[in-house]
Amino acid sequence: MTMDRPAVASLHDALVDRLGAAIVRGELEPGSRLVTGDLSEGSSRGAGREAVRVLQSLGLVRVRRKTGVEVRPSTDWNVYAPEIIAWRLAGPGRDAQLRELSELRGAIEPLAARAAATHATSAQRQELIAAVIEMARTEHDADGGDYLAADIAFHRTLLAASGNSMLAALGSVVESVLVGRTLHELMPHDANPHAVRWHQDVAFAIAAGRADDAAEAMRLIVREADDAMRDASEDG
């Protein structure tokens, strides 16, 4: 009997998630070998091969002739990959991942906000304003899907509006932070009203071309998010 493609994809995704999480958590140590036959146990060989290809693209494993699939050290991982960010946030490395992501955001998002005040298109300015209006509408359900979607739209649009393709490419990284914050219950049900207002300040400063104001408000947003996630993580 031939397995249909959706079923194969499901097996492949499950294998990638199980093995990727185990590597990131340290359950499969660097240098250890994964036996191809074991990977395929309970699934098709095709799903096993596809899972290895994905893990290899993420820098988690390497395929060596004769010796098989070898787990790689964390220094080789593609740490910007959303999958790796999600696995780190779900594991014992959450605090370190949150710290690193906050440091990255503190460096890039104020810079992007400053640049967006000059380079944002009319459509992007409108998208930023629409996003903050939606965030204000749903701020008392901030751990819900609508607020999250608006928050993601705001930050992705901000990075794209910088006019810098390297900054825009980090949109998936910031999205992973926002999704992880909600998924792991690090987001309050009622949003910090100051944070909501600062998002509005960024959007309207960009719309008015006020670069310094946009950058400063963005710094406040990142700082508040970092403090809030640290507090929530400690309480948890």
Side-chain angles (χ1 to χ4, degrees), residues 44-236:
S44 71
R45 289 189 176 274
R49 287 193 296 269
E50 283 301 313
V52 169
R53 289 193 189 100
V54 173
L55 296 173
Q56 190 172 18
S57 73
L58 295 173
L60 296 176
V61 302
R62 77 180 81 194
V63 180
R64 291 181 176 273
R65 186 171 295 180
K66 296 184 180 179
T67 59
V69 182
E70 178 185 326
V71 175
R72 297 168 70 178
S74 60
T75 51
D76 292 342
W77 299 350
N78 176 6
V79 294
Y80 291 111
E83 298 91 339
I84 291 181
I85 292 173
W87 290 324
R88 290 185 71 189
L89 288 174
R94 176 187 295 174
D95 289 344
Q97 176 70 109
L98 288 173
R99 175 181 54 78
E100 291 176 4
L101 289 168
S102 292
E103 290 173 353
L104 177 66
R105 291 186 65 192
I108 66 169
E109 291 203 89
L111 175 64
R114 180 181 296 279
T118 300
H119 298 291
T121 65
S122 177
Q124 288 168 332
R125 295 171 197 269
Q126 292 173 12
E127 288 169 15
L128 287 170
I129 291 173
V132 297
I133 290 173
E134 179 65 4
M135 290 176 71
R137 185 186 73 80
T138 57
E139 66 179 305
H140 297 299
D141 187 26
D143 52 354
D146 290 344
Y147 185 93
L148 175 61
D151 202 9
I152 290 170
F154 174 88
H155 289 278
R156 274 194 169 274
T157 302
L158 174 78
L159 291 166
S162 70
N164 183 317
S165 61
M166 302 293 284
L167 292 176
L170 294 172
S172 61
V173 174
V174 175
E175 178 173 345
S176 295
V177 180
L178 301 175
V179 170
R181 186 181 182 186
T182 296
L183 182 64
H184 298 291
E185 299 181 348
L186 301 176
M187 186 71 189
H189 182 69
D190 292 296
N192 183 326
H194 298 295
V196 175
R197 190 185 73 246
W198 292 329
H199 279 79
Q200 295 169 355
D201 290 344
V202 171
F204 286 103
I206 289 172
R210 293 184 279 107
D212 289 343
D213 292 343
E216 179 56 29
M218 194 66 240
R219 273 191 287 272
L220 293 172
I221 290 170
V222 174
R223 188 181 308 152
E224 185 277 334
D226 181 38
D227 290 344
M229 285 191 293
R230 285 176 186 273
D231 290 345
S233 184
E234 290 172 1
D235 292 342

